[in-house]
Amino acid sequence: MNFKTARGAIALASALTLAACATTPPERQTAGTRPERQAAGPRLDRQAEGQAQAFEAFMRKAGAIDAGFSGPAEVTQALGAGAAYEPRQLEAGMIAYAAMAALEEPRFVAGVRKSAQGREGQDLASRLAARPDLADDLPGGSQAAARASAALYRQGETLGASGRKVKSAAYSIQHQAWANSKVADPRGRLARVKQNAVYRPDGDDRARLYKAVAQGGARGGPASPVVQRGLALAALTVLGQDGKARGLMSEPRSEMCLRMAKLNFHQCLASAGPYYEDIYCLGLHAMIDPGQCVTSASQARGVASR
């Protein structure tokens, strides 16, 4: 198969007010009132939660792309799903998602509260904002980091696995006439893909986010910079100092990785001809590449994937 795009290795640079939802007291509920889910502990503020929501939604929807394409319309729809992220938002979403997973660890939440007591705890929030790696050393920090790492790795691996199926389909589908036909209006198609780099929330995205985070699991090893930032954000949330976390929502290596994935996706589509090449671009650069960015962000540099 002679693809027009480079198929070599891509240089992926490896790279909140406290709110608790309490149920309505039974004596105050009215007929037909549905009580909200009882919060297990502190939650991120709405801005950070929204970033985590955008991350989980993209990973889930792109990961659900079906490799059994039957025509151009399905390819076009899948390209839209694969393009629906903005690198900075996804990067911040990874950190917020890691923080949500860390907040699921009760030993960490209790440890942060205990560490905030006394003189040494008076400037804990400022120290965490300046040195997010210090969150590793808080009581329960290693357990929270293992949860956060597992949560990110699971998301990245799932998207990557789906991407490998889609990439494989680009080869197997070539015997079908429609897959060998030229893409109609390729410039317009590329322009639409570039414009689709935005998160459009669905009504059940928030519930799906909390369900995904609650899956649990643990991955050992030293915490990555993204996981460390997630832990620091979680600790600041426990302390009621979410506002100090604004400088933690970016990590250079992950940012560059996601930017390169999106850039290669656009370049691939710009030189693609028939529909099977669009499918190839989708599988490799819109699914496998960002999936690898997320799995890489879940582990410290130099730690091999397991």
Side-chain angles (χ1 to χ4, degrees):
M1 170 178 175
N2 182 23
F3 290 117
K4 298 178 182 179
T5 60
R7 287 182 272 173
I10 300 167
L12 296 179
S14 323
L16 184 127
T17 54
L18 270 174
C21 290
T23 56
T24 304
E27 66 274 15
R28 297 185 61 184
Q29 292 179 16
T30 58
T33 299
R34 181 179 179 181
E36 293 188 9
R37 173 182 179 269
Q38 177 69 38
R43 290 187 172 184
L44 302 184
D45 68 14
R46 279 305 182 95
Q47 179 177 343
E49 183 187 81
Q51 291 167 327
Q53 186 171 302
F55 168 77
E56 189 279 332
F58 168 75
M59 300 299 286
R60 169 169 43 84
K61 293 173 183 178
I65 292 173
D66 190 346
F69 299 101
S70 61
E74 292 183 357
V75 177
T76 298
Q77 184 177 9
L79 288 174
Y85 77 90
E86 195 281 320
R88 285 187 178 179
Q89 185 181 48
L90 203 67
E91 173 200 14
M94 279 196 291
I95 295 170
Y97 192 79
M100 292 185 68
L103 289 172
E104 291 285 314
E105 177 51 60
R107 287 169 290 188
F108 180 67
V109 174
V112 173
R113 288 173 173 155
K114 184 177 180 179
S115 298
Q117 298 173 359
R119 288 186 176 180
E120 293 185 1
Q122 290 179 359
D123 63 342
L124 179 59
S126 296
R127 286 187 282 120
L128 287 171
R131 289 274 311 277
D133 58 296
L134 296 178
D136 294 2
D137 299 326
L138 293 172
S142 60
Q143 292 89 347
R147 280 182 182 258
S149 178
L152 288 175
Y153 186 85
R154 182 166 54 244
Q155 290 285 351
E157 183 60 22
T158 298
L159 179 58
S162 296
R164 289 187 286 274
K165 293 179 182 178
V166 170
K167 180 184 174 185
S168 179
Y171 296 90
S172 62
I173 208 170
Q174 290 184 57
H175 67 280
Q176 300 185 35
W178 70 264
N180 283 276
S181 63
K182 296 289 184 180
V183 173
D185 186 22
R187 290 186 178 181
R189 182 263 280 116
L190 179 59
R192 288 187 293 273
V193 164
K194 289 182 177 181
Q195 292 170 357
N196 200 49
V198 62
Y199 166 59
R200 296 181 175 87
D202 288 336
D204 61 348
D205 281 354
R206 188 167 184 252
R208 287 178 177 271
L209 166 63
Y210 278 94
K211 182 178 179 179
V213 169
Q215 290 183 39
R219 295 188 80 246
S224 70
V226 165
V227 170
Q228 290 174 343
R229 283 164 170 74
L231 260 63
L233 170 58
L236 290 169
T237 297
V238 174
L239 297 171
Q241 298 290 327
D242 315 58
K244 293 182 180 291
R246 301 306 181 212
L248 301 177
M249 304 307 291
S250 178
E251 194 280 308
R253 185 174 61 156
S254 296
E255 179 185 11
M256 179 60 70
C257 185
L258 291 167
R259 286 189 179 280
M260 288 298 296
K262 180 58 73 80
L263 176 62
N264 279 285
F265 182 38
H266 291 164
Q267 290 180 339
C268 187
L269 288 178
S271 60
Y275 282 101
Y276 72 80
E277 291 191 352
D278 271 13
I279 296 172
Y280 175 85
C281 296
L282 171 68
L284 178 57
H285 298 307
M287 299 174 72
I288 295 176
D289 285 356
Q292 288 178 340
C293 291
V294 177
T295 56
S296 177
S298 75
Q299 54 201 8
R301 185 176 299 181
V303 176
S305 299
R306 300 192 294 276

